[in-house]
Each structure stands twice: as C-alpha cells, then as structure tokens.
Amino acid sequence: MSGSRNSPSCGVCGRKLVKNGTTSAGRTRWRCKDCGASSTQKRPDITRKAELTAFLTWLLHGRQPDHISARTFRRSRSWCWNIEVPPPAPPTEPAQVLMLDGTYFQSWCLLIAFDGTHVVDWQWCDREKKIAWQQILQRQPAPHVAVIDGGRGLLAAIADDWPTTRVQRCYFHIFQTVRRHHTFKPRLDAAREIVTLTTALMNIRNSEQAVLWLQAYNDWEIKHDRFLRHRTYARPHTVRPKGVAETSTWWYTHRDLRKTRGLFRRLISEEHLFTWIDPRLTDEEHPLPRTTSPLEGGPNKGLKDLFRAHRGLLTEHARRAAEWKLNSLTAHPHDPWSLVREEHHNPPPQRPKETPVEDEQIGPAAYDTG
C-alpha cells in the first residue's frame, strides 16, 4: 500500500483505497473498490519508537510490559542494544567544581566527571591512567576546583591539561589511606595520634580551625621526629618488609608512619588539603565540596544498582546500559529516538565466512591417499 497516510492507494492496481472497518486488533482496514484487495497501514517508525521507550523503561526502571513474555520482550527489543550513546556536549562555561572518579565492573573502568548535580562526561578505559583521564579533560573547559581521590594518573593529567585548576583531595580517601596504614586500632602512640588528627579533618568548618589543625599536625611531626628515624638492620632471621631490596642492609622501622607523614607533607606543600575553604575561591558561608561522596552516592551508586537489577548482562550490553544510565543523569539528556539510525534495527547482512579450498593434487593419487 502506497500514498499518503489518509489517502492510500492500492498496491495491486494503484487505485485509491477506502476505509473498510477495522481488524481484530483495532487497526483500520483499507479496501480497493476495483480489485477488492484489502490491507492495513503500517508505521514502523512509531512501532520502533514504542519499542525503544519500553526498552529504556525496562532497563532504567525495571518495569516490563505484562502482555508479552520476557523472552519475547528481549527478542523484539534486541536491536536497541545497537544504539551508541555519546557523552553530552561540553559546556560553554567552566564549572566551579568538578568531581572526578572511576568505578570498576568486570574488566572495565568507567571514568566520570560530575558537577555535584549532573554528570558532565564519561570515558571507558581499562584502568585510571593519565591518557584515559586526558580524554575527558581535553573535552571539558578547566574548572576552578577539581575534587579527586589522589590517583597519580589523574594528578598528572590535571597538571598537563588543567594547569590553572586548583585541586582538593577527597577527605574520605585520605582517611582510607591512613586507615590502611594503621588500621582502626593502632598500637603505637604516634599512629593513634595521627589517626585522631585525620578524623578531626571532617570537623573543620572554617579557616581558623584549619590553622589550628596545621599547628597540631606540626606539633605531631616535631614530637615524633626522632621516633620516625628508628632503623632496623638486616640480621639473620630478621623479617624483611615487602618493598625492601634484598641488597639493603637497613630500613626504617616505622615505614607506615613515614608513609602517612609523606602523604600529609605532600598535601600541605601542594595546597590540596584546604582548597574547599580557600578565601580566594569561596567564603565560609558557601564552602566547596571536600569529598567525592556526591559522586559515589549518586552516579556510581546508580550504576551499581543498575548492574544488580540486571545481573548476567553481556559485557557489551552492560557498557551500553551504563551509558544509558549516565545519559539520564546529565543536565540535558539525549533524546533516545534522535540517536536511532537505520542500521540499528536493520543491520546489513553479514557475509558468510569463506572456507579455504585446498589445492587439488596434480598427477595420479599416491598410495593410500584415495
């Protein structure tokens, strides 16, 4: 049947069709007065759009239509997995604050940029390395402040691509690092004191309290400086710590405490500890974020919940599901139907693999070869 929607013509004789009741499904039936051919109009675009809407409702909200079986639903909507979901367009104005972090699933790592309210960008990679982070940083205008977990690859990428951006280290990741070195119940007095100081970071509210904390930390370094210089010498039956070369004749006894001291020394010297209350960037009544918790509890949690609701997805399907989830969390999500192309629901036929033909033997067959 051809012609416009309200004036179709017969596909047999080309004459104009007239309405002739409805089918059992409620669709209008058209009939040719001359040849008697009967047909109905089809709108594959409307059908595909409805399938895509139902697919995203199932994927993002877990709701599946009741009128069809789960297997039929997955088969009829399988073409929706072919739709690529691009990251959002970069903003024209730089953000005040961007939180940057990566989340892992299966063998993939998903890097996410978050402005505290919406997802700004994302990038797939195998691990959090410099070149992977640069793919995001080079697409986005440099923000005033970046809140990060302290990974070396991200720090190197920021130094190269966002040299004017101030860095705020996530307090929660600082606490996690200190706890990994000393556990929750350290035995040494110096370790107990530095754990208490690290916990006190979360109670700081203004610049005056930050100055008092720095003074307390300085007092801790002076008090335990001699203690942190203790050495252990290699002797028979002495356990050599992991990371100490076999050729070393001595090593520092309290290596974990020295690691924690080195961590805080770097944070203080690079001004990554109290960026969130820097008076050059904000005032005390409007402090900036000091953790990546909004990102962890927002997009990252949404992705974990998504994978938990759809266990057993193929790797490529899981990646596509994560992209649809992140797209829904952007300030201006892409219209799903605008991303659909003809090859998504009508992929070109795959050419069969050619079986190599063996060359025929020239001359008579040899003995016992047929």
Side-chain angles (χ1 to χ4, degrees):
M1 183 169 57
S2 58
S4 64
R5 181 178 181 184
N6 294 324
S7 300
S9 57
C10 180
V12 178
C13 63
R15 300 299 181 89
K16 185 178 179 180
L17 299 179
V18 297
K19 292 183 179 181
N20 187 33
T22 59
T23 65
S24 59
R27 300 176 62 181
T28 301
R29 181 186 289 112
W30 298 83
R31 184 178 180 84
C32 179
K33 288 184 177 181
D34 293 340
C35 67
S38 179
S39 61
T40 58
Q41 281 190 301
K42 296 181 180 180
R43 292 292 304 275
D45 55 335
I46 295 179
T47 303
R48 296 297 184 187
K49 191 172 184 179
E51 290 177 348
L52 179 58
T53 301
F55 169 80
L56 294 178
T57 302
W58 164 77
L59 183 65
L60 301 180
H61 306 290
R63 297 194 297 270
Q64 180 178 314
D66 298 329
H67 61 278
I68 58 175
S69 65
R71 179 173 295 181
T72 302
F73 178 84
R74 291 194 298 267
R75 183 178 66 250
S76 61
R77 275 76 176 174
S78 61
W79 65 271
C80 299
W81 293 114
N82 300 327
I83 305 172
E84 299 89 359
V85 187
T92 56
E93 296 293 332
Q96 173 73 3
V97 179
L98 277 186
M99 304 175 192
L100 304 169
D101 196 14
T103 183
Y104 290 83
F105 78 97
Q106 296 182 4
S107 59
W108 289 92
C109 175
L110 182 56
L111 309 179
I112 302 176
F114 185 65
D115 64 3
T117 305
H118 299 102
V119 172
V120 176
D121 203 349
W122 64 79
Q123 177 67 41
W124 290 100
C125 61
D126 56 346
R127 57 187 176 86
E128 299 183 61
K129 51 190 176 184
K130 177 181 177 181
I131 191 172
W133 277 114
Q134 284 181 319
Q135 305 306 308
I136 289 182
L137 270 57
Q138 292 173 1
R139 290 195 295 257
Q140 299 294 323
H144 298 97
V145 176
V147 185
I148 66 174
D149 61 0
R152 294 182 179 179
L154 179 52
L155 282 170
I158 291 176
D160 286 354
D161 295 287
W162 289 352
T164 60
T165 297
R166 297 287 304 279
V167 173
Q168 170 63 50
R169 284 286 296 274
C170 173
Y171 278 11
F172 178 76
H173 286 87
I174 295 174
F175 179 77
Q176 289 286 82
T177 302
V178 174
R179 189 188 69 174
R180 185 169 63 251
H181 290 163
H182 308 296
T183 73
F184 277 120
K185 296 182 179 180
R187 295 181 298 104
L188 302 175
D189 291 340
R192 284 196 290 267
E193 292 174 12
I194 195 61
V195 169
T196 302
L197 276 175
T198 305
T199 306
L201 276 174
M202 297 304 298
N203 298 324
I204 294 176
R205 295 292 181 269
N206 51 52
S207 301
E208 290 76 12
Q209 294 177 355
V211 171
L212 294 176
W213 188 93
L214 289 173
Q215 292 175 350
Y217 173 78
N218 186 62
D219 294 340
W220 177 85
E221 276 211 14
I222 295 174
K223 176 181 178 181
H224 299 288
D225 180 67
R226 186 178 181 85
F227 179 72
L228 295 181
R229 295 184 185 184
H230 288 184
R231 297 182 179 185
T232 298
Y233 291 89
R235 294 185 177 88
H237 309 296
T238 300
V239 178
R240 186 179 295 270
K242 183 179 180 181
V244 176
E246 293 293 335
T247 56
S248 299
T249 58
W250 64 272
W251 54 86
Y252 287 109
T253 305
H254 309 292
R255 300 172 71 243
D256 289 336
L257 277 171
R258 293 179 65 89
K259 290 178 182 178
T260 302
R261 184 182 67 174
L263 168 66
F264 281 112
R265 282 183 173 180
R266 288 192 302 273
L267 292 174
I268 295 172
S269 63
E270 296 173 357
E271 298 184 350
H272 292 177
L273 198 56
F274 297 113
T275 307
W276 65 282
I277 50 175
D278 191 328
R280 294 170 293 181
L281 299 172
T282 185
D283 54 66
E284 295 180 357
E285 296 181 358
H286 304 87
L288 302 176
R290 54 182 173 178
T291 68
T292 57
S293 296
L295 172 56
E296 298 285 355
N300 284 3
K301 180 180 182 298
L303 291 174
K304 303 300 183 184
D305 293 342
L306 177 70
F307 296 143
R308 191 178 299 110
H310 299 284
R311 296 178 182 272
L313 287 177
L314 298 175
T315 300
E316 289 303 318
H317 291 180
R319 290 184 56 182
R320 193 72 74 230
E323 292 170 356
W324 279 120
K325 182 64 177 180
L326 293 179
N327 177 70
S328 69
L329 298 177
T330 60
H332 305 286
H334 292 290
D335 176 23
W337 185 246
S338 67
L339 303 176
V340 177
R341 299 193 301 273
E342 179 68 21
E343 58 267 24
H344 292 151
H345 48 79
N346 286 323
Q350 297 181 355
R351 297 179 59 184
K353 295 182 179 179
E354 298 181 358
T355 304
V357 180
E358 297 182 359
D359 296 335
E360 296 184 0
Q361 183 177 357
I362 301 176
Y367 177 76
D368 200 24
T369 59

